[in-house]
Structures are given as C-alpha cells and as structure tokens.
Amino acid sequence: MTSATHLWFFVGNLTQDEAIRISRKADKAFPVEKVCRDECHQKRVVKLSGEKDTVLKVRSSNPGESNSAILRYYQSKPIASVRQEMLHKAVFKYIDNPSYDFLRTQSQLGYIAYSIEMNFRKVLGGGFVVQSSDYTPEQILAYIQTFLDNTKTSIEELSDEDYEK
C-alpha cells in the first residue's frame, strides 16, 4: 500500500496531547503517501459527556440489511492495584455464561451475544455485544439492562456458602 489515510479512535482516560503524540508516532511507524483531503470521507470528533449515555447510530450502506448490532460499553477506572484488576476480571468471568444464556439462549436476541472484559491502556471496562435481525438496538439495550438488574439481585442474595463455591 503506497497511499492511505490513518483514522484514529481513542477510548479511555488520556489527554488530547497524548492522543496526538500516539497518532503521530504511529504515522511515523507506517509511512504512506497521504491521500488528498478531498478524496477522504470526512469524520468529526466529538467529546462525549460522562454524565449520560451516548448512542451512535450508523445506517448500513446496504438498504436490504436487516441486522442491527450493539456494543454496550461500561468504563471503569484506571488500574490502581492488582486486586482491583483481578476483581474486575472476576466480575466478567462471573457473568460470562449467564449473560450468554440470558441474551442468546433464553431471549434469542440473535446469533451473536456475549459479554466482554476489556482493558484499554490500563483503563478497565467491559460490556456486551449483540447482533440481531429481529430486535432494534433499543430493545437489545432493554434486555441487557434486565440481565444486569437480575444479576445484581442474584449477587445481593448470594449466600456465604454459594459465594465460597
């Protein structure tokens, strides 16, 4: 490849200067002739508020496409200790099979349905990925919230004996 445009998407707790430094370093590592700005599809950058949910809806380039997909992402805090990181991993391990069972098997939302634990640049997070041809993203979000509410209740009602298992 001799010409290209690099597009960067940064997630996590980093400053604008850090994002620029990282993108410039990557540009140097992958040198290509720049494509003219007029030939590129224009993107814009938006700073998201941490106070409310943000939904990005993208129309498919295929008008006959019946699938919708959602990534519901929850960001936590930068890793402060090994204990914090291990608790984060344990929570996602705990919900792994039950989330699949609820979202895929019981609710039959779609062929793809899973939870995922993430660590972007030492900032903990995680979420759920669901693809469906029968449900809208809003409906899928409601199912994810129901799963989370049910899981919270089951954790609160967990006996010491079951916790030890």
Side-chain angles (χ1 to χ4, degrees):
M1 178 170 39
T2 59
S3 63
T5 298
H6 296 153
L7 299 175
W8 303 104
F9 175 69
F10 294 95
V11 177
N13 297 332
L14 70 158
T15 67
Q16 179 179 352
D17 289 340
E18 290 171 317
I20 290 170
R21 182 182 54 74
I22 292 166
S23 64
R24 286 184 178 155
K25 186 175 179 179
D27 284 343
K28 286 180 185 174
F30 301 101
V32 291
E33 183 181 321
K34 302 289 184 208
V35 175
C36 294
R37 182 180 211 103
D38 301 353
E39 297 174 28
C40 296
H41 178 74
Q42 296 301 308
K43 302 277 183 187
R44 65 186 180 113
V45 175
V46 178
K47 184 175 182 180
L48 303 177
S49 166
E51 300 172 10
K52 62 179 184 174
D53 288 348
T54 301
V55 177
L56 171 65
K57 292 184 179 183
V58 180
R59 293 202 187 277
S60 172
S61 58
N62 177 359
E65 179 62 63
S66 63
N67 286 308
S68 61
I70 187 166
L71 164 62
R72 177 67 166 149
Y73 178 73
Y74 300 91
Q75 182 173 312
S76 184
K77 301 175 183 176
I79 299 171
S81 68
V82 172
R83 182 180 189 279
Q84 176 196 11
E85 186 176 11
M86 292 304 107
L87 284 172
H88 177 77
K89 288 181 180 296
V91 166
F92 278 91
K93 186 67 176 166
Y94 179 80
I95 67 170
D96 186 35
N97 287 334
S99 66
Y100 178 85
D101 182 55
F102 180 79
L103 299 171
R104 170 87 165 79
T105 308
Q106 293 176 32
S107 304
Q108 298 184 0
L109 296 180
Y111 185 71
I112 297 172
Y114 59 90
S115 63
I116 184 168
E117 181 265 332
M118 297 181 222
N119 176 344
F120 288 117
R121 299 183 56 77
K122 298 190 178 187
V123 176
L124 300 174
F128 302 88
V129 175
V130 178
Q131 178 186 341
S132 178
S133 60
D134 299 322
Y135 294 88
T136 66
E138 291 81 7
Q139 291 170 316
I140 296 168
L141 277 174
Y143 277 96
I144 291 170
Q145 190 60 51
T146 298
F147 169 75
L148 291 171
D149 293 342
N150 293 345
T151 302
K152 180 181 180 214
T153 301
S154 71
I155 290 172
E156 290 171 344
E157 295 172 352
L158 198 62
S159 69
D160 290 341
E161 183 180 297
D162 286 338
Y163 175 78
E164 290 298 324
K165 292 179 183 179

